[in-house]
Structures are given as C-alpha cells and as structure tokens.
Amino acid sequence: VRLMESGGGSVQSGGSLKLSCATSGYNFGIYTMGWLRQAPGKAREWVADIRGDGTPSYAGSAEGRFTISTDSAKEILYLQMDGLRPEDTAMYYCAAEKYIGSWNLGAGDNYWGQGTQVTVSS
C-alpha cells in the first residue's frame, strides 16, 4: 500500500490549498481515511477523516474551513483548505485505516504517507 500526498505549499493568511493523497494497492472506499498534521514542536493532530460510507468528520479547528472528499474512480483523497491561518502551518499527512476498527482518529494501526508541507504566512 502506498499513499502519496501532494498540493502543499506556501500561502498567505486567508488563502486556499487543496491537498491530494493518491493511493496505490489500497481497498479504497471501504475503510476510513483522513488527514492529520504536525507542526514543529507539537503533537500530531487529527484534522479530518471520511468513512467508507462517505461520512466526514472534522476537528473543531477545521470545521467550516476544510472539506474532505474522495474520488473513488481515481482513488484519491482530498482536503480542500480555505481561510487558511498561520496556525494551520504544519506537515500534513494522509492516513488510511488498515482494518476495520484500527483508525482511532488516525492514532491506530494505519497506513501513512510521507507528508506535504503547508506554510501560511500572516
């Protein structure tokens, strides 16, 4: 299984970015997938996830600004981020549930990508 993130970059406060996570060898659309982030010196933080049935969930910091979605045909996970703030600056990781029940808001036994850097300047 491979997860490959892209779409990170540097934007000004209030800007937008769309992250993508291309998958390979994964049973897409069955298990939960999501995004987590980690800023320097801080713990990894769950941002959003989407269940196999398409139900999304968001952390409070992402609610109303970020949108998680999937393209089942392309087997890609997305994270549309609008209204970005400097505090959103972090490495963003795509993660995918290995087996039913392993997700645990990304903290369980999951597959991981290498990450894509998002930097928001004020």
Side-chain angles (χ1 to χ4, degrees), residues 36 44 95-99 101-112:
L36 292 90
R44 188 172 59 195
E97 190 176 35
K98 276 190 181 179
Y99 50 87
S102 73
W103 178 243
N104 192 24
L105 293 182
D109 187 11
N110 304 303
Y111 298 108
W112 289 89

Side-chain angles (χ1 to χ4, degrees), residues 74-111:
K74 297 180 179 179
E75 299 187 335
I76 297 176
L77 174 72
Y78 297 105
L79 185 68
Q80 175 68 45
M81 304 188 294
D82 299 315
L84 283 162
R85 306 164 179 166
E87 54 265 38
D88 295 317
T89 295
M91 184 71 79
Y92 283 70
Y93 296 92
C94 168
E97 190 176 35
K98 276 190 181 179
Y99 50 87
I100 298 296
S102 73
W103 178 243
N104 192 24
L105 293 182
D109 187 11
N110 304 303
Y111 298 108

Side-chain angles (χ1 to χ4, degrees), residues 2-121:
R2 290 185 62 194
L3 306 178
M4 188 177 304
E5 303 96 334
S6 62
S10 297
V11 296
Q12 291 191 325
S13 183
S16 298
L17 285 172
K18 187 172 185 177
L19 306 183
S20 299
C21 174
T23 69
S24 175
Y26 187 63
N27 284 322
F28 199 92
I30 295 176
Y31 304 104
T32 298
M33 297 184 68
W35 294 93
L36 292 90
R37 67 187 183 187
Q38 188 166 22
K42 295 188 176 181
R44 188 172 59 195
E45 175 188 21
W46 170 74
V47 176
D49 62 38
I50 186 165
R51 292 170 50 180
D53 64 4
T55 303
S57 297
Y58 298 94
S61 59
E63 187 79 52
R65 299 189 299 128
F66 295 2
T67 304
I68 190 169
S69 63
T70 60
D71 183 328
S72 297
K74 297 180 179 179
E75 299 187 335
I76 297 176
L77 174 72
Y78 297 105
L79 185 68
Q80 175 68 45
M81 304 188 294
D82 299 315
L84 283 162
R85 306 164 179 166
E87 54 265 38
D88 295 317
T89 295
M91 184 71 79
Y92 283 70
Y93 296 92
C94 168
E97 190 176 35
K98 276 190 181 179
Y99 50 87
I100 298 296
S102 73
W103 178 243
N104 192 24
L105 293 182
D109 187 11
N110 304 303
Y111 298 108
W112 289 89
Q114 294 299 306
T116 186
Q117 178 68 37
V118 171
T119 303
V120 185
S121 58

